[in-house]
Amino acid sequence: MTRSIRNALAILLAVIMALSVAACNNQPAQGGESTPTPSSDATPTPAVDYTDGGKFLNDPGANGNLDWRLPAYELKSNTITFLGADEIKLPDADKESSARDLYGITWQTSLVGASDRITKLISSVMGENSPDIFTYDVFTISLVNKGYLQPWDDYIDFSLGIWDDLQSALDTVRFRDHYYGIGAYCDLDAGDGIWVNLELYEEAGVKSPVEYYKEGNWTWEEYYNCCKDMIQDDDGDGIPEVYGTSLELQNIFVYYAGKDYVSLNPDGTVTNNIQGPEIARAVEFVARLRGTDGLVYDGSDGRVAFTQGKLATMEGCYWYVLDGSYVDMFKRDAIGWVPMPRDPDADKYYTQIVFGQTMLAAGAPNPEGAAAYMSSLRYDALDTDDNEPVDEEEYFERNGIPYDMAMYIKGERNREGLTPVLMTWQMFDMGQFFGDIYFRPFLGEPWSAIAQEISPKIDDVIETLLEQ
């Protein structure tokens, strides 16, 4: 039920109740005429006050949960401004919004080219014409260091109930004991998993990743064995008819070991993890995968090769479920999906996240409005009773995708027990070292020597960014 319909029903109910009370108060006495009740004797039904003394808006909270009430703000104006390059990160005027309905907020957006975002923010702040909200692909500490961003926690109380489910994600971006980059929601799993050709496994009589996962025994070792046992090179020409897997993101394993190459610390320091045991385990495992003949398919058309039966498994994103080329496999029950395998030597089940892309500009003309807007996004994410229903089942079935499969993937991506690891490699330009990190170990060089060699170079990158 939409918020507007709900409000209309509430008003209608109030009118009906008022008429009912009026009718009851004017019932004729038995055998006599009606006796009007003097208005001075009427006791109006008090309105429910949800504000807790003005701390919250007078609203019962998302889904009627008092722990999910919206905080009250004294807004400088009802307009907030946005600067960004990705339209999907900017407000959608066509969607119902508690920012508009409950706070009365409107917005103006400035969409610029991706390469111009930083320059535009800097010039706007320096020209005292700042936007309120700046969106970027990753939280960027150099913008904090240069004074172009200000903390969200100066205006948002993150101890309020609407933020409870995001505490683990918020902790990953706490910098100098503040939150400069936040989000309104976060999938704990950023989307990657292992797609499985169930037909190939059944034909070969090999235990599949799906079976291991259902048993609760899905680690790197089982993944390696599942892939290795499925290699088929029947003619012995060195070119397998079936490869074990493909790796679109070979650096993905560092997150499941529990660290990125560089970590942000809450006190504002940054840690170079390149010589740590987590990175060593991940790099050496990828080298092992790539060093086994026929295990990893290196073609650029891995997704096509998978549908053609050339790959037993494929590392890839959850949203491949929407790829029309998989429809025939879905119809045959020939395709499965499992989350990324766990590092058997890690103390927890870790996963990678991207978070903190929404920032509060220094000199924002309406920071309270920006804070109210971000709070409203959390409210809307939680307020499932108020969201327009989407017939997901009809949508998926219409596109040839089993609804149960889509819901299974959705559930597994957000299952409990996952510990998030913030992706920082872009923030610190670690891509320049990927050749050293992944190609040289594959050629047989000891990882410890490589890590020792490039560690000072990474220290220099970190120092430069912190000083900017």
Side-chain angles (χ1 to χ4, degrees):
M1 183 183 297
T2 65
R3 184 177 297 114
S4 56
I5 294 175
R6 218 160 51 187
N7 291 343
L9 288 175
I11 294 169
L12 179 60
L13 180 61
V15 171
I16 292 172
M17 289 179 65
L19 292 174
S20 300
V21 170
C24 290
N25 285 339
N26 287 279
Q27 286 290 329
Q30 191 168 2
E33 297 181 358
S34 62
T35 304
T37 302
S39 59
S40 59
D41 294 340
T43 305
T45 303
V48 179
D49 184 1
Y50 299 108
T51 66
D52 192 13
K55 182 178 180 181
F56 299 99
L57 296 185
N58 197 22
D59 179 88
N63 282 9
N65 186 337
L66 291 176
D67 290 334
W68 291 346
R69 284 174 291 177
L70 281 171
Y73 284 98
E74 291 186 12
L75 306 183
K76 289 185 171 64
S77 79
N78 290 99
T79 302
I80 57 174
T81 54
F82 290 79
L83 172 64
D86 190 347
E87 193 167 2
I88 199 170
K89 293 188 178 75
L90 300 176
D92 186 343
D94 296 328
K95 285 187 177 180
E96 267 201 20
S97 166
S98 59
R100 180 174 51 237
D101 297 345
L102 298 179
Y103 284 117
I105 289 175
T106 59
W107 46 78
Q108 298 173 353
T109 61
S110 177
L111 200 62
V112 298
S115 60
D116 299 328
R117 284 174 291 182
I118 298 290
T119 303
K120 180 66 174 177
L121 173 68
I122 292 172
S123 63
S124 297
V125 172
M126 293 183 67
E128 298 184 354
N129 187 32
S130 297
D132 292 304
I133 292 177
F134 175 66
T135 64
Y136 195 60
D137 298 329
V138 292
F139 166 55
T140 307
I141 62 171
S142 61
L143 294 176
V144 176
N145 294 332
K146 293 177 180 178
Y148 298 120
L149 301 177
Q150 60 177 312
W152 279 107
D153 44 293
D154 285 350
Y155 300 95
I156 296 178
D157 180 359
F158 289 104
S159 70
L160 294 180
I162 58 172
W163 298 99
D164 281 351
D165 291 345
L166 279 186
Q167 290 304 319
S168 61
L170 286 165
D171 286 345
T172 67
V173 292
R174 191 154 54 95
F175 185 67
R176 295 180 182 166
D177 289 322
H178 289 290
Y179 301 108
Y180 290 92
I182 64 172
Y185 46 83
C186 180
D187 289 326
L188 275 180
D189 189 311
D192 287 278
I194 303 296
W195 290 92
V196 185
N197 188 317
L198 298 174
E199 286 180 335
L200 291 178
Y201 276 94
E202 185 175 356
E203 290 169 4
V206 174
K207 190 173 180 179
S208 78
V210 173
E211 295 174 89
Y212 280 108
Y213 181 67
K214 287 181 177 179
E215 293 173 357
N217 186 29
W218 179 230
T219 69
W220 290 357
E221 193 62 31
E222 281 67 46
Y223 174 54
Y224 175 82
N225 290 331
C226 283
C227 295
K228 181 175 178 293
D229 292 345
M230 285 301 297
I231 300 170
Q232 297 177 21
D233 184 12
D234 296 334
D235 56 12
D237 64 354
I239 302 176
E241 289 78 47
V242 176
Y243 289 82
T245 194
S246 67
L247 296 178
E248 288 197 5
L249 298 172
Q250 58 189 356
N251 67 315
I252 201 71
F253 291 96
V254 300
Y255 304 104
Y256 298 91
K259 294 282 178 66
D260 203 341
Y261 313 101
V262 175
S263 296
L264 292 180
N265 301 316
D267 63 0
T269 60
V270 174
T271 302
N272 177 357
N273 299 317
I274 202 69
Q275 296 190 77
E278 298 87 359
I279 307 302
R281 292 198 303 267
V283 170
E284 289 167 357
F285 180 68
V286 172
R288 182 184 177 197
L289 291 174
R290 292 200 172 279
T292 302
D293 289 341
L295 196 146
V296 176
Y297 179 78
D298 279 326
S300 60
D301 60 340
R303 292 167 66 179
V304 175
F306 179 75
T307 62
Q308 294 174 341
K310 296 178 182 179
L311 304 178
T313 68
M314 173 183 64
E315 179 268 317
C317 295
Y318 75 94
W319 50 260
Y320 291 1
V321 73
L322 301 176
D323 191 323
S325 61
Y326 297 150
V327 169
D328 288 340
M329 295 183 73
F330 282 128
K331 289 180 177 178
R332 304 195 308 268
D333 292 326
I335 193 169
W337 184 91
V338 292
M340 290 296 293
R342 179 178 59 83
D343 174 5
D345 294 320
D347 59 341
K348 298 177 182 177
Y349 201 145
Y350 293 95
T351 188
Q352 82 282 13
I353 64 167
V354 178
F355 189 71
Q357 303 107 310
T358 308
M359 290 153 262
L360 182 62
N366 190 7
E368 296 84 2
Y373 173 80
M374 292 305 296
S375 298
S376 76
L377 289 189
R378 280 298 299 154
Y379 180 103
D380 292 342
L382 295 168
D383 195 30
T384 54
D385 288 347
D386 195 52
N387 294 336
E388 289 285 357
V390 176
D391 193 340
E392 291 180 321
E393 185 167 5
E394 189 276 333
Y395 168 80
F396 285 115
E397 295 295 348
R398 185 177 70 246
N399 287 279
I401 302 162
Y403 176 71
D404 290 345
M405 178 72 170
M407 292 302 100
Y408 161 76
I409 294 175
K410 181 178 180 180
E412 291 305 305
R413 288 177 56 229
N414 293 282
R415 63 199 182 283
E416 294 182 357
L418 295 174
T419 300
V421 177
L422 183 68
M423 297 180 71
T424 63
W425 70 268
Q426 290 175 294
M427 189 187 309
F428 292 95
D429 194 22
M430 290 295 103
Q432 64 182 299
F433 301 109
F434 279 4
D436 297 301
I437 294 171
Y438 293 106
F439 186 66
R440 290 170 63 184
F442 169 67
L443 296 178
E445 290 189 55
W447 168 247
S448 58
I450 299 169
Q452 187 174 12
E453 175 190 328
I454 65 175
S455 184
K457 299 176 183 178
I458 294 175
D459 286 337
D460 290 342
V461 172
I462 293 171
E463 184 178 357
T464 299
L465 282 172
L466 288 177
E467 289 178 350
Q468 287 181 341

